[in-house]
Structure formats: structure tokens, C-alpha cells
Amino acid sequence: MRVRRLPALAVTAVAAVSLSGCAALDALPAMPSPVPTSVVPSGTPLPAPTSSGNLSPDGFDLAQRITVRIRNVGCGSLSTGTGFAIDEHTLVTNKHVVADSEQLQLATYDGRDVAASAASTASLADLAIVRTVDALPAWPELAPQDPAAGDPVTVVGYPLGGALTITSGTVVGTTTDPLNENLGDVLVTDAPVEPGNSGSAALDADGRVIGVVYAKSSDGFSYVVPVSTLRAMLDDESAFSPSPSCTTS
């Protein structure tokens, strides 16, 4: 399904960096300075998206239970991002969230640590797969097709490395991926995101994944790898390769 195309804007990847920044385009502004421990997330966490229902006994919505905080401990660096489960032992996130890591530390919505066994990254899109030793609490459905302009979107993640936060907006249109033209079109939404939201699931009104957040523009729009691309890459065994650690890269 096609949606309204938009002109490309300057974008910044949205991983929260506390000691060192990720690589960026020459035209992009510098990554933000280290995040203080007293930082307050940009949005107030809601008890649950109103669309999905499906509360667990502890009162958390499915959208929250699928979401995982990712801390990338590198060689002299530390960054945080977000991922989401697609099955009991598999997370989807961004390539730049797991790049150059010495150790990936994963934590679920209820603070439980989950051990990572391997990470693989895509060469085409800013996507990565993380396999886990421990079982993940829950996982969503992938939407059967890309959304249309005007469709609602919910983003669930850990902005600025802080609390699990839900923001909402609409799909504004599409544009050619400003970070990788070979990828083709990506979604543009007005759902607010911050550094640390990289790898967050973008969900439709039924709680299904419509894409993966990976960047934001200088005008505050969020960029999302669409679910059609995610599905195609998950179906292609050659799309992902083992991610080198910072000790070998």
C-alpha cells in the first residue's frame, strides 16, 4: 500500500549515547552530549495504548511487554536503544544499536535481565536481529501490509535511556531513505521519538508492527523501516550476517 511521499529531510539516528556517538552523515548535527542520570523522558508513560487491550496479570499492555531495553557496552563506549520481540528468543532492533559492541545487556519491561546469545545485522537497512538465551515475555503480530497516510501509529521504547514510554501520532507519508538510498522508501510519522528510541516498534491501532523506528529529522518527524521491508528481510536468510564486536571490527 502506497502513502504520500515527502521530500527528504536531514535526519539523526535515535540511539541514546552516553560516552560516544554513532557515525552520522556530514550534514547532520552532532550527537547530543552525555545524558545525565537525572534526565526525564520527553513523554509521560501511559498505562497502555488504548487500541490493543490484552493486559497481562501485572497490568502491562502487550505493547509494553514486547519491548526490551538494549545497552550496548562497547570498547570505551556505552549506548542505549530499544528492541522488540518477534518470537520467544528473537529481538528486532537497529543495526546502529548493536554495532561495535563488546556486550549487549537486555532488560524486559519488568526489569528482568535477558542474556543475548548472538547479534546479526543487515547490510541493506538499519536493522538487526538479536537472539536470546532466555525466553522473552511476549511478541506481537506483524501487520500484513504497510500503513496508509493518516493511519494512527504508536511507538513504544526507552527515549533517552529512561522509562518505558509510549508516544502516538499518524503516518505522514513516505520518502526515500535519507541514510541509505538503496533501501527505497521508508515511512515518515509525526510520533515523537528521542535518542534511545532506535529499534522501537511502530504499531498500528490493533497493536501490530508496521515498522521499526530508526531515525528522526531536524523537524521532529520520525523515520520507520516499513513492515514490508522487515518481512522481506526476515524471509531472506542471506539478509543478515553476524555483527562484529568492537574487539574484532
Side-chain angles (χ1 to χ4, degrees):
M1 179 179 297
R2 300 291 298 170
V3 293
R4 182 167 62 89
R5 291 184 56 81
L6 298 175
L9 299 172
V11 299
T12 303
V14 286
V17 178
S18 58
L19 294 181
S20 69
C22 297
L25 299 178
D26 291 341
L28 298 179
M31 291 297 290
S33 57
V35 177
T37 56
S38 61
V39 71
V40 176
S42 60
T44 302
L46 302 176
T50 56
S51 58
S52 59
N54 196 10
L55 292 178
S56 63
D58 57 5
F60 284 87
D61 187 86
L62 177 64
Q64 296 166 309
R65 289 183 280 125
I66 69 171
T67 307
V68 175
R69 186 200 309 268
I70 301 175
R71 298 178 77 246
N72 180 339
V73 181
C75 297
S77 66
L78 173 66
S79 61
T80 65
T82 301
F84 62 94
I86 56 170
D87 63 38
E88 190 174 26
H89 292 280
T90 308
L91 292 173
V92 169
T93 186
N94 290 149
K95 180 177 182 177
H96 73 264
V97 170
V98 302
D100 299 323
S101 67
E102 184 175 16
Q103 180 186 16
L104 294 177
Q105 299 176 348
L106 314 177
T108 59
Y109 71 100
D110 54 358
R112 179 169 60 90
D113 292 331
V114 175
S117 60
S120 301
T121 56
S123 58
L124 179 62
D126 193 349
L127 293 174
I129 298 296
V130 179
R131 307 290 184 184
T132 68
V133 176
D134 305 304
L136 298 163
W139 49 94
E141 294 182 42
L142 301 184
Q145 59 188 9
D146 294 343
D151 284 354
V153 59
T154 296
V155 174
V156 189
Y158 292 94
L160 304 176
L164 181 60
T165 299
I166 298 170
T167 61
S168 61
T170 59
V171 176
V172 176
T174 65
T175 189
T176 301
D177 182 5
L179 299 180
N180 186 348
E181 292 184 358
N182 293 330
L183 174 60
D185 285 351
V186 295
L187 303 175
V188 182
T189 88
D190 57 10
V193 299
E194 298 290 345
N197 272 121
S198 283
S200 294
L203 306 172
D204 66 11
D206 296 317
R208 300 174 301 183
V209 175
I210 58 171
V212 187
V213 175
Y214 72 99
K216 65 180 294 187
S217 74
S218 58
D219 292 340
F221 290 99
S222 49
Y223 288 82
V224 177
V225 177
V227 68
S228 59
T229 299
L230 175 61
R231 279 185 174 277
M233 298 190 73
L234 291 174
D235 290 340
D236 182 0
E237 293 183 359
S238 65
F240 295 88
S241 57
S243 178
S245 70
C246 60
T247 59
T248 59
S249 58

